[in-house]
Amino acid sequence: MGSMLSRCFVLFVGMVVGGFFSGTPLRAQNWADKMFKVQSHDFRTVGRGAKAEFHFELTNLYEEDVHIAAVRSSCGCTTPSVTKDTLKTHETGAVVATFNTSTFVGKKGATFTVVFDKPYYAEVQLKVSGYIRTDITFDPPEVAFGEFRSGKPQERDVVISHTGNSNWRITDVRSHCSNLKVSLGQPELSPGLVRYRMHVTMQEDVPEGEIQERLTLISNDRSFPTTEMAISGRARAALSVSPAAVTLGSTSADAVVEKRLVVKGDEPFSVKEVVCDDKRFTFEVPVGSKKLHFVKMKFEGDGQAAQISQTIRIITDLPGDPSADCIVTGTLSAK
């Protein structure tokens, strides 16, 4: 009887320990799912050799660091990569899906398995699909604006070629991006070839940040009436602060924490004021006018346990008094 009880006890403990450490991530698998904005993407119909990428964005919603250990693809038609494998609290990264339009044709699809090993083990599946046609090409293969200063319009030219049907025509060009303006020239015809020259303008009112958009070409082809073209770029602010997200971590309620903020501008400027509603924060404001400033930030806890989530706004003397913001988060625990 004693031996049986002992074996039962060991089995029970093993189940509890195994359930707590290896079972918890399985039961709480959605902690990883919650970080992704979307988990599927359809490239729809794209031309042979066209640039086709999609960023599955994820944000670390937790205080612990999140680490991506690996990303596997079920098909060579799509190659995965990550912009950042370790995300600190509130940091944003992406799993990038690259549709291999130069080496594959026809209807294709893939499933990415994103493996996390920190703070717990979890797997998230991301799905992509699309159709690669061989009769349409773009030169260049995408509308790539690169990095540019927000507030200045950007222009690019693209040549669209269709082979095999001289009666093929583009009837419309559509985009979900209201900041894009597109003009299409008259079709240039030769035996078995139709060519268009397209002018694309990113207008000055585009918001700051990454640009991952696409143009949809509408044609008179009843079998494939739409074809997608990628648009990429990054609108950079005239003024920025780094890091944009600062964490105080988990610390005692009376802790003193010091950080340094780097403020950059395209033109020389002075820091007029640093605004923060929480009086526990103080700042050492630099003097003089230059393109790069260092702002020293100091936090002094008052002994009260609390969650910190505060916006720091740095105001400059640039025209229009532009400002740059950063978010400070943390957890204060009483002793």
Side-chain angles (χ1 to χ4, degrees):
M1 177 67 71
S3 177
M4 182 178 294
L5 286 174
S6 176
R7 287 197 299 271
C8 290
F9 179 76
V10 171
L11 177 60
F12 177 76
V13 171
M15 291 174 64
V16 171
V17 172
F20 183 78
F21 289 100
S22 63
T24 297
L26 296 178
R27 292 198 302 270
Q29 174 77 31
N30 63 343
W31 74 264
D33 292 315
K34 288 179 179 179
M35 295 190 295
F36 286 89
K37 287 186 175 181
V38 297
Q39 292 181 237
S40 64
H41 177 72
D42 185 359
F43 287 107
R44 298 196 282 192
T45 302
V46 297
R48 180 72 182 271
K51 183 73 174 291
E53 284 187 354
F54 182 76
H55 289 227
F56 288 97
E57 291 188 5
L58 71 158
T59 301
N60 181 1
L61 308 174
Y62 314 103
E63 291 188 9
E64 300 90 346
D65 288 357
V66 169
H67 181 254
I68 299 175
V71 183
R72 304 188 300 267
S73 177
S74 64
C75 176
C77 63
T78 313
T79 302
S81 60
V82 295
T83 58
K84 188 183 298 185
D85 60 8
T86 300
L87 299 177
K88 296 188 178 299
T89 182
H90 301 301
E91 280 190 333
T92 298
V95 176
V96 182
T98 301
F99 209 29
N100 297 322
T101 62
S102 297
T103 52
F104 289 83
V105 297
K107 186 173 180 60
K108 296 295 176 183
T111 298
F112 291 171
T113 300
V114 185
V115 180
F116 296 89
D117 61 356
K118 292 180 181 179
Y120 303 105
Y121 183 87
E123 293 186 0
V124 175
Q125 291 194 328
L126 310 174
K127 298 182 182 296
V128 295
S129 60
Y131 188 92
I132 304 166
R133 57 189 299 181
T134 60
D135 55 348
I136 290 182
T137 59
F138 301 113
D139 183 22
E142 70 168 334
V143 182
F145 290 107
E147 182 175 287
F148 61 93
R149 178 178 170 179
S150 180
K152 293 186 176 181
Q154 304 293 310
E155 299 181 350
R156 297 291 186 273
D157 291 308
V158 180
V159 176
I160 305 165
S161 300
H162 180 279
T163 57
N165 182 2
S166 298
N167 295 318
W168 183 83
R169 296 291 186 273
I170 297 176
T171 59
D172 196 7
V173 181
R174 299 175 185 173
S175 172
H176 295 296
C177 180
S178 60
N179 310 105
L180 277 176
K181 183 179 179 182
V182 180
S183 60
L184 197 66
Q186 293 297 313
E188 302 171 10
L189 307 178
S190 57
L193 176 66
V194 180
R195 179 169 290 154
Y196 283 91
R197 300 183 186 277
M198 183 171 65
H199 187 74
V200 183
T201 302
M202 181 64 71
Q203 301 183 95
E204 64 272 6
D205 57 349
V206 62
E208 300 160 7
E210 294 291 333
I211 300 168
Q212 295 290 334
E213 297 287 345
R214 58 186 177 184
L215 289 174
T216 301
L217 308 182
I218 312 297
S219 74
N220 61 353
D221 186 336
R222 292 186 177 180
S223 299
F224 300 101
T226 64
T227 304
E228 309 295 319
M229 185 173 193
I231 301 171
S232 66
R234 182 177 181 274
R236 173 175 48 82
L239 184 71
S240 65
V241 58
S242 177
V246 177
T247 177
L248 304 178
S250 297
T251 186
S252 62
D254 58 357
V256 176
V257 182
E258 295 184 352
K259 300 284 185 179
R260 187 178 73 166
L261 305 177
V262 181
V263 190
K264 295 181 181 179
D266 288 338
E267 303 294 336
F269 66 94
S270 296
V271 176
K272 292 173 59 177
E273 185 182 8
V274 180
V275 178
C276 178
D277 293 334
D278 192 331
K279 301 306 180 185
R280 292 172 293 183
F281 287 89
T282 57
F283 303 90
E284 186 177 316
V285 179
V287 297
S289 179
K290 50 188 177 181
K291 292 184 179 181
L292 178 68
H293 290 279
F294 298 101
V295 175
K296 293 182 180 179
M297 180 185 76
K298 184 177 182 180
F299 174 84
E300 294 187 65
D302 57 4
Q304 299 296 316
Q307 292 286 332
I308 300 295
S309 181
Q310 191 64 230
T311 298
I312 308 298
R313 176 157 295 171
I314 300 172
I315 301 173
T316 72
D317 67 347
L318 288 169
D321 292 333
S323 62
D325 293 352
C326 79
I327 305 296
V328 181
T329 58
T331 301
L332 305 180
S333 302
K335 290 184 176 179

